[in-house]
Amino acid sequence: MHSIDFIVLFGTLLAIALYGTWKTRKSHDLKGYLLGDNSMKWGTIGLSVMATQASAITFLSTPGQAYQDGMGFVQFYFGMPIAMIILSAVVVPLYFKLKVYTAYEFLEQRFDLKSRALAAFLFLVSRGLAAGITIYAPAIILTAILNWDINITILIIGVLVIIYTVSGGTKAVAETQKQQMVVIMAGMFVAFVVLLVKLPDHIGFKESLVVAGKMGKMNVIDWKFDPTNRYNIWSGLTAALFLFLAYFGTDQSQVQRYLSGKSIKEIRLGLLFNGVFKIPMQFSILLIGVLVFIFYQFTMPPIFFNKTETDKLATSKYEQQYNELSKQHQQVFDQKRVLLGELVAADKAGDEESTTQLTERVNKLQEQQESIKAEAVGLMQDINPDLDSKDSDYVFITFVMKYLPHGIIGLLMAVIFSAAMSSTSSELNALGSTTVIDFYKRMVNDSATDAHYLFMSRLFTVFWGILALLFAVFATQLDNLIQAVNILGSVFYGPILGIFIVAFGVKYVKANAVFVATVISEGIIVWLYFLSRAGKLGITYLWFNPIGALLVVAIAVVLQAVWPKKTT
Amino acid sequence: MLKNDSFMDFLKTPEYTEAPVLGNWKAFYLTSIIFFVVELLLFSYLTIAY
């Protein structure tokens, strides 16, 4: 990176952090700190909700995913507009009128303390550990590309976030997220324009779509129902709908964003804004990935995008094999580039026969290129058995570092760091709130002053921030823990959503029935998860959300019917 | 603050029911759905055309 990139990167990050701290320096009471004085308007809520969901991995992985598998990932977000309407209509007026600080507070009002404590505990465990991964996951990729010490990357993200989140609370999170979203949008727009400029003269935007389509990257919608395929329209409209209902309706890191709204109207508009614009945003990020794919059809790509690993291979005992593979890779690339030129010309001339033939030949060469890469990965795994054979997370950042002009590289790095900071700040803010409201104030000390709870909120935010940093720093030595966090994320949401569905809609079910139903359902989901991992169950994790939620509802209803008097 | 059973009764009070669930909001919800349908049509077109 050039010094101008560092100025843009650190200038942007520091300016946003300082602005957030300065703008919210008057947060002096608990309501102001945790609910932003209920002063947020719909634009701020909408951007804040979007920024919370968009982590650094969104901007590192999503273009890479499109590069690898095409546009189909956008279908994952199809449940979002429907989820936003359901939450706006049913959940928002309830939370707002009950004046709750956390989503879990509501569960005690509907059921009892143990239901509230269970949901809050599951949130703290899963989100507390996930906060560490939110910092760690981009840090490991940036370290491989930038050759920075991983701890420096972790500290840059973590320390700034802790400072402004602790200082200004919810309001600081929302204010900084507005600026961060502006940086993110601007950066991605610039990347899109630069990509178009960098394509060869005879390849415009339309030709790019033609080539992408012929090479199987424009599969935006898949109408075939297949529970083993994560991304088709049916899983997006059903399974992902449940995931979004759980995430936006019961996860405090999101609920806290809109609880800070000025009125029900502002909150609803903010959520609907998210529902309308999230799909185009993800579509645009994926389209950037497809354009990067097209770019690398005309500019020689590396065999494997994780440079640290290819460098190791190039200086290993396999040097000769690597050089041979590189030569083959270059030859296949050259042939494919020529054919692609002919393919574009044939398509323009409307020559269908030639187009079909050329498409077949191009795709065959693409397969050859993939098998050369697989051979190289095999050699790399011989040197490093722990190697992740997937390099798609490195595709976009490699393109940025190698082909974008100085200054713009700094801006794109600011996009990635801003995204990491925006989601981390929401997580820490929500973890601090839940610890104070659902545990400390409810179970430890319920008669202290407002100033005391404000102090404790700040203290717990610092505590979670430091825990996230430590987790990120030591994550490289905690492989099993990272796997455990991923498991928690996949298996908790469904049953938690089930508790809330019963709370909202099934009056007949009381506290004990729902509690036992949740514990049983959670056990079943964990069992299904391990069956799925062992390859004995042909469904993807996304389906655990509806299954978990519906299991809780069904079991709770049955339990309540069997023991109507005992389960009160 | 409401506790347990009284919570369900709260759902029947004007304080909750007067918050318009559909009412004035029909237009906004419909607009979201229309946007979504337009997006679906556009994506279907892209899938078929390319």
Side-chain angles (χ1 to χ4, degrees), chain A residues 458-516:
Chain A
R458 288 196 158 118
L459 195 67
F460 278 118
T461 308
V462 174
F463 165 78
W464 286 108
I466 291 173
L467 197 70
L469 278 180
L470 287 175
F471 180 84
V473 168
F474 292 108
T476 36
Q477 294 147 38
L478 302 170
D479 265 357
N480 293 334
L481 189 55
I482 293 173
Q483 272 188 24
V485 174
N486 289 331
I487 295 171
L488 296 181
S490 307
V491 300
F492 278 172
Y493 266 160
I496 291 181
L497 178 63
I499 304 176
F500 279 82
I501 291 176
V502 173
F504 284 119
V506 196
K507 179 181 180 180
Y508 155 78
V509 175
K510 301 288 188 285
N512 287 346
V514 82
F515 186 83
V516 175

Side-chain angles (χ1 to χ4, degrees), chain A residues 311-329:
Chain A
D311 286 350
K312 272 188 213 163
L313 185 63
T315 53
S316 71
K317 57 181 177 177
Y318 296 117
E319 185 186 351
Q320 210 176 339
Q321 284 102 314
Y322 173 67
N323 289 337
E324 186 52 39
L325 286 172
S326 297
K327 220 159 107 187
Q328 289 174 25
H329 191 247

Side-chain angles (χ1 to χ4, degrees), chain B residues 4-43:
Chain B
N4 304 324
D5 281 355
S6 60
F7 167 79
M8 295 311 286
D9 297 328
F10 167 73
L11 297 186
K12 294 175 192 155
T13 62
E15 196 187 355
Y16 178 70
T17 54
E18 276 173 16
V21 172
L22 285 174
N24 302 338
W25 285 87
K26 265 184 197 154
F28 285 102
Y29 297 149
L30 196 61
T31 310
S32 295
I33 294 290
I34 290 169
F35 260 100
F36 180 49
V37 171
V38 170
E39 284 163 3
L40 277 184
L41 290 173
L42 175 70
F43 295 157

Side-chain angles (χ1 to χ4, degrees), chain A residues 264-321:
Chain A
I264 292 175
K265 182 182 158 192
E266 299 290 343
I267 298 174
R268 281 175 166 166
L269 282 173
L271 288 180
L272 292 177
F273 171 86
N274 177 48
V276 167
F277 288 103
K278 184 73 189 182
I279 294 175
M281 180 181 145
Q282 289 299 134
F283 178 83
S284 309
I285 299 171
L286 286 165
L287 193 60
I288 287 174
V290 166
L291 288 179
V292 172
F293 173 79
I294 298 301
F295 173 82
Y296 278 122
Q297 298 310 305
F298 298 95
T299 304
M300 180 73 187
I303 288 189
F304 192 67
F305 278 93
N306 185 343
K307 192 173 175 296
T308 311
E309 298 300 330
T310 46
D311 286 350
K312 272 188 213 163
L313 185 63
T315 53
S316 71
K317 57 181 177 177
Y318 296 117
E319 185 186 351
Q320 210 176 339
Q321 284 102 314

Side-chain angles (χ1 to χ4, degrees), chain A residues 26-44:
Chain A
K26 289 173 189 162
S27 283
H28 291 314
D29 61 51
L30 192 66
K31 195 180 172 201
Y33 189 77
L34 297 185
L35 294 180
D37 283 323
N38 287 114
S39 61
M40 304 297 169
K41 297 205 169 155
W42 66 270
T44 309

Side-chain angles (χ1 to χ4, degrees), chain A residues 201-219:
Chain A
D201 290 341
H202 62 294
I203 304 291
F205 182 60
K206 190 169 184 311
E207 289 75 19
S208 299
L209 295 185
V210 170
V211 173
K214 302 289 180 207
M215 297 185 77
K217 304 295 176 191
M218 292 303 290
N219 49 347

Side-chain angles (χ1 to χ4, degrees), chain A residues 186-201:
Chain A
M188 295 313 274
F189 179 74
V190 171
F192 181 79
V193 172
V194 172
L195 260 166
L196 287 180
V197 172
K198 293 255 173 201
L199 288 173
D201 290 341

